[in-house]
Amino acid sequence: MKADEIRGLWLGLLGVTIFALTLPMTRLAVGTPEAPQMSGVFIALGRAVVAAGLSGLFLLATRAPWPRRADWWPLAITAAGVVFGFPLFTSVAMRYVEAVHASVIVGVLPLATAAVGALLHRQRPSAGFWLCAAVGSGLVVGFALLRSGSAGMALHPADALLLAAMACAAVGYGYGARLSQRMRAEHVICWALVISLPITLPASVLARPEGAVQASAWWGFAYVAVFSMWLGFFAWYRGLALGGTVRVSQVQLVQPFLGMLFAVPLLGERLDAVTVGFALAVIATVFVGKKMPVRAAGNTP
């Protein structure tokens, strides 16, 4: 494996670690049906406004060039996926499902990201790679079935929102990674946030909280605004650009379990031997999968 690919995997892992706190922190910010805090719409769009402000300062400080004409459409698709789609769907859903449940539903995101990346970058992952991706995703789904049972895995409108969020994230990751091949990775998310500001700013003002909100909810909002919506993408898009979207996307397989681990002190959820066992098995598929060849479409085995 090349040095850039190894570096890309480590940066991808850093990004995933930052993203792993997103669902627990969002849960803190939205509250529960019995004790609601901020609305999902405000959290999704308000965090984009805060990150857009930081992005504008960063673009000015780094003297970022304007995107080329050909880059505006991919930037718009990236923004639709990771600035609007994923944050909005997950923020609304998180009031009605626990962080563990949401984590395992979104756990099939690596496979979706790999599929989008293979299509956009004209790559041909080997059968062994796809097998590892399928096994890892199967372990995540198996964990969900084992821990949630029939009642916990019953169809819920929030599950549909989480699946829609997964699709949005996969597309946003894929297009953002492609842009990172010719733009600084940090500039990709910054421009996506800035061009979204004419929509996110007025919408977040309209959706702002009108009543008292707990301090823990504001801390959750601050995290998803600064880390989940901004800094995490610095590492993530750089990792995807260096290591390849198809390969690095599989690091996301550990995200559900990291999210559960973080949820223990934040939300009082329990971490037991079964969870640790499944986490170790999923991590093993990541390390095996990263050794499998991923070729350009025009190359022969």
Side-chain angles (χ1 to χ4, degrees):
M1 185 177 293
K2 297 179 182 179
D4 281 349
E5 292 180 345
I6 295 175
R7 186 183 174 201
L9 285 167
W10 281 110
L11 286 170
L13 181 59
L14 174 60
V16 162
T17 303
I18 293 173
F19 293 151
L21 268 163
T22 300
L23 295 180
M25 287 296 189
T26 301
R27 178 74 169 178
L28 280 179
V30 296
T32 64
E34 297 76 21
Q37 297 298 314
M38 304 175 184
S39 72
V41 173
F42 173 76
I43 293 168
L45 302 181
R47 79 187 209 178
V49 171
V50 173
L54 296 172
S55 296
L57 295 175
F58 183 81
L59 291 171
L60 289 173
T62 57
R63 298 181 180 180
W66 282 88
R68 297 181 302 180
R69 179 178 297 180
D71 293 336
W72 286 108
W73 179 242
L75 273 173
I77 297 177
T78 300
V82 301
V83 177
F84 291 99
F86 183 83
L88 186 59
F89 290 138
T90 54
S91 296
V92 173
M94 285 309 298
R95 178 170 289 175
Y96 304 100
V97 294
E98 295 182 352
V100 168
H101 183 90
S103 294
V104 294
I105 295 298
V106 182
V108 291
L109 178 58
L111 192 59
T113 305
V116 172
L119 179 64
L120 290 179
H121 301 284
R122 299 179 181 179
Q123 294 177 317
R124 280 182 17 190
S126 64
F129 177 89
W130 285 118
L131 178 61
C132 289
V135 170
S137 298
L139 285 167
V140 169
V141 173
F143 179 84
L145 293 172
L146 179 64
R147 292 306 303 250
S148 299
S150 58
M153 291 302 293
L155 183 62
H156 190 284
D159 291 339
L161 292 176
L162 292 170
L163 290 173
M166 177 197 67
C168 290
V171 172
Y173 288 167
Y175 274 91
R178 189 164 72 169
L179 282 169
S180 297
Q181 299 286 346
R182 56 180 181 267
M183 297 172 58
R184 282 184 57 175
E186 300 88 345
H187 291 168
V188 173
I189 187 59
C190 287
W191 281 116
L193 287 161
V194 168
I195 66 173
S196 303
L197 200 54
I199 298 175
T200 56
L201 180 57
S204 62
V205 171
L206 292 174
R208 69 188 185 277
E210 297 182 356
V213 174
Q214 294 179 358
S216 60
W218 283 113
W219 280 112
F221 175 81
Y223 183 90
V224 296
V226 178
F227 291 92
S228 302
M229 193 76 265
W230 196 53
L231 290 177
F233 282 98
F234 284 31
W236 180 240
Y237 278 147
R238 177 60 63 188
L240 292 176
L242 289 174
T245 303
V246 174
R247 188 182 301 279
V248 176
S249 67
Q250 297 311 289
V251 178
Q252 294 172 108
L253 286 169
V254 303
Q255 183 172 334
F257 300 100
L258 289 175
M260 295 173 200
L261 181 64
F262 293 141
V264 171
L266 289 173
L267 303 174
E269 298 185 9
R270 186 169 57 93
L271 185 66
D272 56 18
V274 174
T275 302
V276 173
F278 269 88
L280 293 175
V282 170
I283 292 171
T285 67
V286 174
F287 279 98
V288 174
K290 75 183 183 65
K291 297 180 181 296
M292 298 296 175
V294 177
R295 303 180 180 90
N299 293 350
T300 57

